[in-house]
């Protein structure tokens, strides 16, 4: 499990395309400082397993399913990525519950800078819209953020987040442009509540 507090902005060192898979080598001195074989590291919000690491560079294998359902398929050598180690049991819970399981990919629709923060608008898949609420939590490329606004334009749902200078400087969101694909993970608690509530209603209808 992760919290969405990005620890460092790493870089793709190499990519090797395999049969229905890819192997990435990623530079991340901080996240590899105590890494072991089999550890989990979130890369742009995708939970991946360390298969080897040396001199601050770790290697992960990414299967076709993950490539199809995330923006990792777009990455090449030199691309910056957000990195976070799995949360330690005794660590501070600075963000929100993040599983590292991408729910959808949408592009940046607009970027509106102001003197003290920047508003970023991202498309929102229709099947995820019900899980997103204003002032609720959302994960964009592995970064835990607060939804500042939601809405529709031309039958397209969208959400907005307001990024402070630290977030812009320390994560890939500060490098994003209109059209940049972004991994989205909604709050898992909302999905569990929906599932449990639906199951409860179904049982009541059956008289159980």
């Amino acid at each position: 499990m992760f919290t969405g507090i990005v620890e460092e902005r790493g870089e793709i060192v190499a990519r090797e395309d395999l049969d229905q898979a890819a192997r990435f080598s990623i530079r991340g001195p901080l996240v590899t400082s105590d890494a072991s074989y089999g550890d989990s590291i979130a890369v742009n919000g995708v939970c991946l397993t360390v298969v080897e690491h040396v001199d601050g560079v770790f290697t992960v294998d990414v299967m076709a399913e993950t490539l199809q359902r995330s923006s990792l398929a777009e990455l090449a050598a030199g691309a910056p990525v957000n990195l976070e180690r799995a949360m330690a049991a005794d660590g501070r819970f600075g963000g929100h519950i993040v599983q590292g399981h991408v729910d959808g990919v949408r592009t940046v629709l607009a970027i509106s800078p102001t003197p003290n923060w920047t508003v970023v608008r991202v498309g929102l898949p229709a099947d995820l819209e019900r899980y997103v609420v204003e002032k609720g939590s959302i994960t964009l490329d592995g970064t835990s953020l607060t939804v500042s606004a939601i809405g529709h334009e031309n039958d397209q749902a969208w959400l907005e987040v307001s990024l402070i200078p630290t977030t812009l400087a320390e994560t890939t969101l500060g490098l994003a442009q209109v059209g940049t694909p972004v991994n989205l993970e909604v709050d898992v608690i909302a999905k569990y509540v929906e599932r449990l509530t639906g199951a409860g209603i179904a049982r009541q209808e059956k008289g159980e």
Side-chain angles (χ1 to χ4, degrees):
M1 186 181 74
F2 306 92
T3 70
I5 303 300
V6 174
E7 294 187 274
E8 68 177 322
R9 194 163 66 189
E11 180 185 357
I12 302 295
V13 175
R15 169 177 176 160
E16 179 185 2
D17 289 312
L18 307 170
D19 182 21
Q20 299 186 44
R23 172 167 287 192
F24 290 91
S25 294
I26 304 168
R27 180 175 293 109
L30 176 58
V31 297
T32 57
S33 61
D34 60 352
S36 299
Y37 174 81
D39 280 356
S40 294
I41 295 178
V43 179
N44 276 3
V46 181
C47 179
L48 299 174
T49 300
V50 176
V51 296
E52 60 182 53
H53 69 92
V54 60
D55 296 332
V57 175
F58 67 99
T59 301
V60 294
D61 290 323
V62 185
M63 60 183 175
E65 174 77 4
T66 304
L67 292 172
Q68 293 168 3
R69 292 180 175 271
S70 75
S71 66
L72 296 187
E74 307 285 335
L75 299 182
V81 287
N82 294 326
L83 302 175
E84 181 192 356
R85 290 169 289 188
M87 179 185 178
D90 61 349
R92 284 191 173 92
F93 205 102
H96 71 283
I97 297 175
V98 177
Q99 295 182 297
H101 302 160
V102 173
D103 292 306
V105 180
R106 283 295 184 270
T107 60
V108 173
L109 300 176
I111 300 174
S112 304
T114 73
N116 297 305
W117 69 86
T118 295
V119 177
V120 176
R121 178 176 292 187
V122 178
L124 180 61
D127 62 333
L128 299 181
E129 188 177 356
R130 63 185 182 276
Y131 302 119
V132 179
V133 296
E134 190 171 334
K135 305 308 179 186
S137 295
I138 189 74
T139 308
L140 301 183
D141 273 354
T143 308
S144 174
L145 298 165
T146 299
V147 178
S148 56
I150 53 177
H152 291 81
E153 184 174 346
N154 299 324
D155 295 325
Q156 165 70 64
W158 53 260
L159 65 88
E160 288 182 344
V161 293
S162 299
L163 308 181
I164 62 174
T166 297
T167 304
L168 294 170
E170 301 295 331
T171 75
T172 60
L173 296 176
L175 303 174
Q177 300 177 352
V178 173
T180 297
V182 177
N183 292 323
L184 290 86
E185 181 184 333
V186 299
D187 191 344
V188 67
I189 294 176
K191 292 192 288 186
Y192 278 125
V193 169
E194 178 186 60
R195 178 74 171 179
L196 292 170
T197 302
I201 291 174
R203 285 197 298 270
Q204 289 177 5
E205 291 177 345
K206 291 179 180 179
E208 297 179 3

